[in-house]
Every structure is written in structure tokens, then in C-alpha cells.
Amino acid sequence: MNRVDYPLEAARLVMRILELPGLIGEVKRQMTALRAERRELERWMEAREAQAYLEAPGKTERERQARTRVLLAQDLEWQKAEKRLQQILTQLDKLQAELEVLEHERKAVYGALVARHAEVLEAALAAGLFGAKPPAPRGGN
């Protein structure tokens, strides 16, 4: 990259770092909504499972649990809830991955801006734009 590209690159980095918090916030908002939906769905499923357990005949605990699973497997509402729960979990995994990518990009862009800022300051200092020029480097160890 030549020196002419530096201002454009810096401007692009600044614009991106200003966009990233909004993007990160949107992903977090979606994750929060999905987590709330998941909790509500899990509460409903727990209550439905308890109800099915009470309705299931059986002499032993194991037999009752087996019959409960059969009752729930035949329940269309339960099947829909199970399917939706799996969709939510998949979406949460995808959003978590997206969030990690955005956070990594935010850190990388911030690092690039800091490095660019340091280069500009060093060049300005070497050019004497802040007053006196810095001392020349001395030879040695």
C-alpha cells in the first residue's frame, strides 16, 4: 500500500469500527430474544412432561417414564415445541459464531487504527511538526 492509500484506509477503518458496535448490538439483541423464547418453551415443555408423567400408568418408575415418552411422542404440540427448540439452539449457535467473528474484527480494526495512529505520530514527530526533532538514534547495544 502506498502513502496515498493511507488516509483512505484509515477512513475505511474508522467507518468500520463505528459500524461494528451496531452490528454486535443487533446480534446480542437477537440472542437475548431467542434465549427468552427458549426459556419460555422449556418451561412449557417441563410442565407438559410433568403432566404426561402424572397421566402415564405404570407400576415402576421406569415403566412410567417410558409411557411418558410415548405419550409425548404422540403429542403434536410437543413435537412442534421440540422442533422449535432445536431451531432456537441452532440459531443461537450461529449467532454466537457471528458474534465471535464481529468481536474479532472489532479488535483487529482497533489494533490497525492504533498502529496507523502510531505511524502518523512517529512520522509527524520525525518531520518536526511538534517543534523540535527527536534526537537521532545512537549506535550501541
Side-chain angles (χ1 to χ4, degrees):
M1 178 180 329
N2 64 38
R3 294 241 176 243
V4 176
D5 292 338
Y6 275 150
L8 295 175
E9 180 64 15
R12 188 189 67 77
L13 291 174
V14 168
M15 292 304 296
R16 187 60 181 164
I17 205 157
L18 293 174
E19 290 174 340
L20 286 170
L23 296 173
I24 290 169
E26 177 59 24
V27 169
K28 287 183 176 182
R29 185 199 63 73
Q30 289 176 22
M31 290 176 77
T32 299
L34 285 170
R35 286 184 187 125
E37 185 180 352
R38 182 189 72 199
R39 284 190 301 272
E40 184 178 322
L41 192 56
E42 286 173 341
R43 281 192 297 271
W44 180 86
M45 290 176 80
E46 285 175 13
R48 180 63 190 107
E49 187 174 7
Q51 180 184 358
Y53 181 80
L54 292 174
E55 294 171 3
K59 295 180 182 176
T60 66
E61 176 74 18
R62 186 179 227 170
E63 185 180 341
R64 239 178 141 175
Q65 287 177 351
R67 290 180 190 265
T68 299
R69 284 192 299 275
V70 169
L71 284 172
L72 291 174
Q74 295 171 349
D75 185 345
L76 292 178
E77 290 291 320
W78 178 266
Q79 291 173 10
K80 287 179 189 176
E82 254 185 339
K83 184 176 181 178
R84 180 61 187 146
L85 183 60
Q86 290 307 311
Q87 290 172 344
I88 290 170
L89 294 174
T90 301
Q91 285 179 287
L92 281 171
D93 287 343
K94 287 179 181 177
L95 287 171
Q96 182 62 43
E98 184 178 343
L99 179 63
E100 289 170 9
V101 167
L102 290 171
E103 287 287 351
H104 178 74
E105 181 182 0
R106 183 187 61 78
K107 290 173 185 174
V109 169
Y110 180 78
L113 277 174
V114 167
R116 177 67 187 121
H117 183 69
E119 288 175 14
V120 169
L121 286 176
E122 287 173 6
L125 184 61
L129 296 178
F130 294 117
K133 288 189 176 188
R138 295 186 290 178
N141 296 347

